[in-house]
Amino acid sequence: MNIINSAKEIQSSLQNIRRELHQYPEISRNEKRTSELIIRELKKLGNFEIKENINGYGIIADLKGKYPGKTIALRADMDALQIEEETSLPFKSLNKGVMHACGHDNHVTMVLGAGMLLSKYQNELHGNVRLIFQPAEELSPDGGAKGMIKEGALEGVDAVFGMHVWPDLPLGKVGLKVGPLMAASDHFTVTIKGKPSHAAKPNEGIDAVVASAQFVSATQTIVSRNSDPMKALVITIGKIIGGSRYNIVAGECTLEGTCRTFSPEIRDLAERRLQEVLNGICTLSGCTGELNYERGYMAVDNDSKITEYMSNNVKSLFGEDALVNVEPAMTAEDFSFYLNEKPGVLAWIGTTAEGEEVFPLHNSHYAPNEDVLWRGSALFTELVLNFNK
């Protein structure tokens, strides 16, 4: 069999599926039309056992091979983002304010493509394959992965694979790394309360904005002076709301931010020090403060043996030059929860052809090259067919 040729033969079908998904994106927990499309395509194949409405609109589809062997899971996330699309694509989003800016339409299509090919090769398949279509990946800190796992998505599974489209990699390249690939992602909210007064008489009040500014500045010393410089830590405060009028000393201020880490120890340090810094600022200013720290996604930690297996398959399918050893990113993915339960790997697959402008994920102009579709489908198929040999 020639996996690449077979994948190229279904490219037009893959494009049609992806474009329909792209035109009708749905945000987390609202993926009804998306799930209906997936079920429609799976039923066309005729040999998948389909379970619907898993953890909301999630889907599990199982294909039994002709020969005994282990069960491999392929996972795709389904949801889109609350972003107004600004591409010039003829199939741009028709849902105002919603866009597949993270490429999940491609993920769904590639796993469906693998399903099409594996359905064709069922008589050559050793073991079984499970397709997992997961809602709400973007819904940090909870996400959809934990719910899928709780409802049995990984029962009987021996290994799990995922791919994420990656604009920083050229089309045709696959990025892999053993160990931490993407960061743990936590969300925190801080409320600082002071005492309002006239702006001309600040001595009669307690300024929550000044205390908040001191807190923002002091948190960066957690990174620069408390954390091991050889272990990654990012603390970003992206939202501040405070005050009611320009000539009133603010009585309250709310801040929201995120911590990104790879190490559990650094994660614990960040949470502890945020509370200690807040306590210190409140003592200094006379304010009161409250920290609400929510642990979100775990770090994506790729299994060494499974990563080596995938690396070998990338090279055998696409050639030695297709494999790229990548550095980790501080972005997050709830695929980490699957990897916490089963050995597996998340790979990055390049989407930018030579000469094309690079737009990042979560950008309103992101438009991955569609030739990633047959490539991802082929690689998923290769991984499944070779796993039990």
Side-chain angles (χ1 to χ4, degrees):
M1 66 186 75
N2 188 312
I3 300 297
I4 288 180
N5 286 345
S6 295
K8 287 181 177 179
E9 287 173 1
I10 63 169
Q11 173 67 2
S12 61
S13 296
L14 298 178
Q15 287 179 340
N16 290 337
I17 292 169
R18 184 257 166 164
R19 292 177 183 186
E20 183 176 347
L21 289 166
H22 193 84
Q23 279 193 303
Y24 299 99
E26 296 167 305
I27 61 172
S28 303
R29 301 298 181 195
N30 290 270
E31 307 94 338
K32 183 176 186 295
R33 183 179 181 133
T34 303
S35 68
E36 290 171 349
L37 182 153
I38 294 167
I39 293 164
R40 180 192 76 200
E41 295 301 321
L42 289 170
K43 286 183 176 179
K44 287 180 184 179
L45 302 177
N47 49 0
F48 275 89
E49 180 183 334
I50 305 167
K51 296 179 181 178
E52 306 175 28
N53 301 317
I54 308 296
N55 185 36
Y57 290 110
I59 299 161
I60 296 172
D62 290 314
L63 178 68
K64 292 185 178 180
K66 182 177 180 179
Y67 306 101
K70 295 180 178 181
T71 297
I72 309 305
L74 308 177
R75 175 270 201 171
D77 37 13
M78 304 159 59
D79 52 333
L81 288 160
Q82 291 166 305
I83 292 176
E84 183 69 29
E85 183 166 355
E86 295 185 280
T87 71
S88 58
L89 296 172
F91 52 90
K92 68 183 297 184
S93 173
L94 297 177
N95 292 344
K96 185 172 177 57
V98 184
M99 176 192 176
H100 270 297
C102 201
H104 295 184
D105 50 340
N106 294 269
H107 301 169
V108 169
T109 304
M110 290 188 296
V111 170
L112 280 173
M116 295 175 190
L117 296 174
L118 290 165
S119 177
K120 177 180 177 181
Y121 295 135
Q122 187 177 14
N123 288 334
E124 284 80 36
L125 178 60
H126 294 254
N128 311 309
V129 62
R130 172 168 294 170
L131 310 183
I132 301 172
F133 298 93
Q134 176 209 305
E137 192 279 329
E138 299 288 354
L139 200 62
S140 179
D142 293 324
K146 289 189 286 187
M148 295 296 291
I149 294 167
K150 185 177 180 180
E151 295 196 33
L154 292 180
E155 289 180 5
V157 169
D158 295 286
V160 58
F161 293 92
M163 275 188 270
H164 202 300
V165 290
W166 210 251
D168 294 332
L169 285 176
L171 181 68
K173 303 293 184 181
V174 177
L176 280 170
K177 179 188 177 297
V178 173
L181 178 72
M182 299 177 77
S185 171
D186 298 336
H187 170 252
F188 64 87
T189 303
V190 172
T191 303
I192 295 176
K193 293 183 178 181
K195 178 184 176 182
S197 69
H198 196 290
K201 295 183 177 182
N203 56 299
E204 295 180 358
I206 301 174
D207 198 329
V209 164
V210 170
S212 297
Q214 292 171 329
F215 176 79
V216 171
S217 179
T219 57
Q220 296 311 305
T221 66
I222 301 173
V223 177
S224 65
R225 288 297 177 266
N226 299 145
S227 179
D228 184 340
M230 301 304 292
K231 296 182 179 179
L233 169 63
V234 171
I235 299 177
T236 297
I237 295 173
K239 183 178 180 181
I240 302 177
I241 300 174
S244 58
R245 184 178 164 86
Y246 79 98
N247 62 349
I248 299 176
V249 168
E252 184 171 330
C253 197
T254 303
L255 309 89
E256 284 189 77
T258 184
C259 286
R260 303 298 174 104
T261 57
F262 293 117
S263 162
E265 295 78 16
I266 299 299
R267 195 181 198 184
D268 292 340
L269 168 73
E271 181 177 359
R272 185 183 77 249
R273 286 295 292 144
L274 280 170
Q275 184 65 65
E276 292 170 350
V277 167
L278 178 60
N279 292 344
I281 295 297
C282 288
T283 298
L284 177 68
S285 65
C287 290
T288 60
E290 181 180 353
L291 170 68
N292 180 28
Y293 193 98
E294 297 177 285
R295 297 228 170 181
Y297 300 167
M298 306 169 68
V300 172
D301 195 357
N302 285 334
D303 179 86
S304 58
K305 290 184 179 179
I306 303 297
T307 303
E308 181 182 8
Y309 169 75
M310 189 169 187
S311 298
N312 291 335
N313 277 267
V314 169
K315 290 185 286 188
S316 65
L317 186 65
F318 298 127
E320 295 276 342
D321 292 342
L323 182 66
V324 179
N325 296 314
V326 295
E327 295 296 321
M330 299 305 284
T331 48
E333 236 283 0
D334 76 349
F335 189 79
S336 56
F337 292 107
Y338 298 100
L339 296 179
N340 191 52
E341 300 289 330
K342 300 289 182 178
V345 60
L346 179 71
W348 295 339
I349 185 164
T351 61
T352 305
E354 186 176 355
E356 291 180 343
E357 186 172 358
V358 179
F359 290 106
L361 297 173
H362 292 212
N363 183 283
S364 59
H365 296 278
Y366 181 51
N369 190 294
E370 288 186 311
D371 275 344
V372 73
L373 300 175
W374 71 260
R375 287 180 166 89
S377 300
L379 181 53
F380 272 139
T381 303
E382 184 88 345
L383 292 168
V384 173
L385 289 175
N386 290 337
F387 197 83
N388 289 290
K389 289 184 179 179

